[in-house]
Amino acid sequence: MDIETFVQRSLGEWRSQRSAHHLAFAHFEEVRSTITIEPLTIDEPGVLELCKRYDVGPEIVVSPFKMSWEGESDWDEDEVMAGSTILVPVPDSATTGKLLREQGYAETMEAVGSYCLGEDGTFVLTTSYDRAAAEEKIWFATPNLRFRVSLIKTSDGKGVTTASFSSEVRRNPIP
Amino acid sequence: MDIETFVQRSLGEWRSQRSAHHLAFAHFEEVRSTITIEPLTIDEPGVLELCKRYDVGPEIVVSPFKMSWEGESDWDEDEVMAGSTILVPVPDSATTGKLLREQGYAETMEAVGSYCLGEDGTFVLTTSYDRAAAEEKIWFATPNLRFRVSLIKTSDGKGVTTASFSSEVRRNPIP
């Protein structure tokens, strides 16, 4: 599995079920959402802007994509959570690299994560923020079923405050 | 990571939060439970019985243990789900082997699973039943935090009907 194959397999529209476990209080949160992952070209303004910001030559970028989501949480059913972000992989070997993104997961700011593709095809992304760190593991059970375990860690990386699990079922092929 | 270390690290009392995703209906189920994992000796009657049933010499068994659980599901809060099972690892290499158990996960019958310990320390167990197959991945985020992703698959192993995720926080050391 390389990053191009991983992004290629991720393209499309997915119906997601996410369960978050807030560990200190044994609290559950449930979110249903639709996630859309679309390919971008390297000359897309948003891609070039991220490259510029992080001083990365666009020629070393691989398979940039846009991820959009729209969902509702059981915490506040009236609140529709929607957003989108541009993600730009910058490989530094066949299975490792950086992932630039417009908006991070744990905090709504730009972020650079480090990814690594394991032998079993699992994509692992770690990102450090000011006050937290995030770790995401994503893998395919079948071509149409993707799982994701996301951890929000304390900034020293030692404690885990929230663990969440998503099951993503493909709804439509590439939009 | 070998099976002895994995069992050793698992001993104790754990507070578990489990979320099940029933994929066809995008249904969620939440379960809070207490899981206790205690070591057994090889000459324990239940261990010897399982060895006899599966024609396994007790001398090749490693770190047998008993797992007990008591929990409640949000499907029926009055129903207390409690049970226990004996598990007997039978290694066939440093990182692979069989796991004999009194009672399976997907069906309440005896079962033999195959386990494999990955390079990253993840324990993966696959078990085939008459009408289903189960796959469990268990890994430690910290010594006091264990995660488990369990899949119930159709018997041909191709489709996934239920995916569940458990966060297990250590409450007490070995009881």
Side-chain angles (χ1 to χ4, degrees):
Chain A
M1 180 78 86
D2 58 21
I3 187 71
E4 277 149 301
T5 311
F6 185 82
V7 173
Q8 185 60 38
R9 293 186 67 181
S10 299
L11 298 175
E13 192 179 294
W14 302 82
R15 189 197 72 197
S16 163
Q17 274 184 268
R18 184 161 76 89
S19 294
H21 296 176
H22 301 278
L23 299 177
F25 307 103
H27 181 86
F28 289 91
E29 185 186 357
E30 295 174 351
V31 183
R32 284 187 181 84
S33 61
T34 299
I35 294 171
T36 306
I37 300 175
E38 314 164 65
L40 294 177
T41 55
I42 289 170
D43 55 6
E44 204 88 21
V47 176
L48 292 175
E49 212 170 288
L50 269 173
C51 287
K52 200 172 160 192
R53 185 119 43 187
Y54 290 105
D55 202 18
V56 163
E59 68 285 357
I60 60 169
V61 158
V62 154
S63 304
F65 58 101
K66 181 178 169 185
M67 196 166 103
S68 321
W69 59 92
E70 195 173 320
E72 60 178 41
S73 161
D74 65 336
W75 272 21
D76 181 355
E77 296 201 355
D78 293 332
E79 187 200 10
V80 171
M81 303 177 306
S84 76
T85 185
I86 290 175
L87 295 112
V88 177
V90 185
D92 52 34
S93 82
T95 55
T96 60
K98 300 287 176 208
L99 184 68
L100 316 182
R101 51 179 165 178
E102 253 189 321
Q103 197 185 37
Y105 171 70
E107 300 188 4
T108 53
M109 52 182 285
E110 286 185 357
V112 185
S114 299
Y115 72 80
C116 162
L117 283 149
E119 274 191 6
D120 62 353
T122 302
F123 173 86
V124 181
L125 177 70
T126 50
T127 312
S128 294
Y129 299 93
D130 276 356
R131 287 160 310 198
E135 184 191 294
E136 286 194 272
K137 287 191 191 203
I138 305 177
W139 70 98
F140 290 87
T142 73
N144 297 316
L145 179 60
R146 212 172 85 136
F147 294 117
R148 178 197 300 250
V149 170
S150 310
L151 308 183
I152 307 290
K153 298 182 168 187
T154 50
S155 53
D156 63 7
K158 286 183 189 153
V160 177
T161 56
T162 306
S164 66
F165 176 61
S166 302
S167 304
E168 300 171 348
V169 176
R170 188 187 294 280
R171 205 181 231 163
N172 287 307
I174 306 165
Chain B
M1 180 78 87
D2 58 20
I3 187 70
E4 276 149 300
T5 311
F6 184 82
V7 173
Q8 185 61 38
R9 293 186 66 181
S10 299
L11 299 176
E13 192 179 293
W14 301 82
R15 188 197 71 196
S16 163
Q17 275 184 268
R18 183 161 77 88
S19 295
H21 296 175
H22 301 277
L23 299 177
F25 307 104
H27 181 87
F28 288 91
E29 185 186 356
E30 296 175 351
V31 183
R32 284 189 181 84
S33 61
T34 299
I35 294 172
T36 307
I37 301 175
E38 313 164 66
L40 295 177
T41 55
I42 289 169
D43 56 6
E44 205 89 19
V47 175
L48 292 175
E49 214 169 286
L50 268 173
C51 288
K52 199 171 161 194
R53 184 120 42 188
Y54 291 104
D55 203 17
V56 163
E59 69 284 357
I60 60 168
V61 158
V62 154
S63 305
F65 58 100
K66 181 178 169 186
M67 197 166 104
S68 322
W69 58 92
E70 195 172 322
E72 60 178 41
S73 161
D74 65 337
W75 272 21
D76 182 355
E77 296 202 355
D78 293 332
E79 187 200 11
V80 171
M81 302 177 307
S84 76
T85 184
I86 290 175
L87 294 113
V88 178
V90 185
D92 52 34
S93 82
T95 56
T96 60
K98 301 286 176 209
L99 184 67
L100 316 182
R101 49 178 166 179
E102 253 189 322
Q103 197 185 37
Y105 172 68
E107 301 187 5
T108 53
M109 51 182 285
E110 284 184 359
V112 185
S114 299
Y115 72 80
C116 161
L117 283 149
E119 275 191 6
D120 62 353
T122 302
F123 173 86
V124 180
L125 177 70
T126 50
T127 312
S128 294
Y129 299 93
D130 278 356
R131 288 161 309 198
E135 183 191 295
E136 286 193 273
K137 287 191 191 203
I138 305 177
W139 70 98
F140 290 87
T142 74
N144 297 317
L145 178 60
R146 214 172 84 137
F147 293 117
R148 178 196 300 249
V149 170
S150 310
L151 309 182
I152 307 290
K153 299 182 168 187
T154 50
S155 52
D156 63 7
K158 287 182 189 155
V160 177
T161 56
T162 306
S164 66
F165 176 62
S166 303
S167 304
E168 301 170 349
V169 177
R170 187 188 295 280
R171 205 181 231 163
N172 288 308
I174 307 167

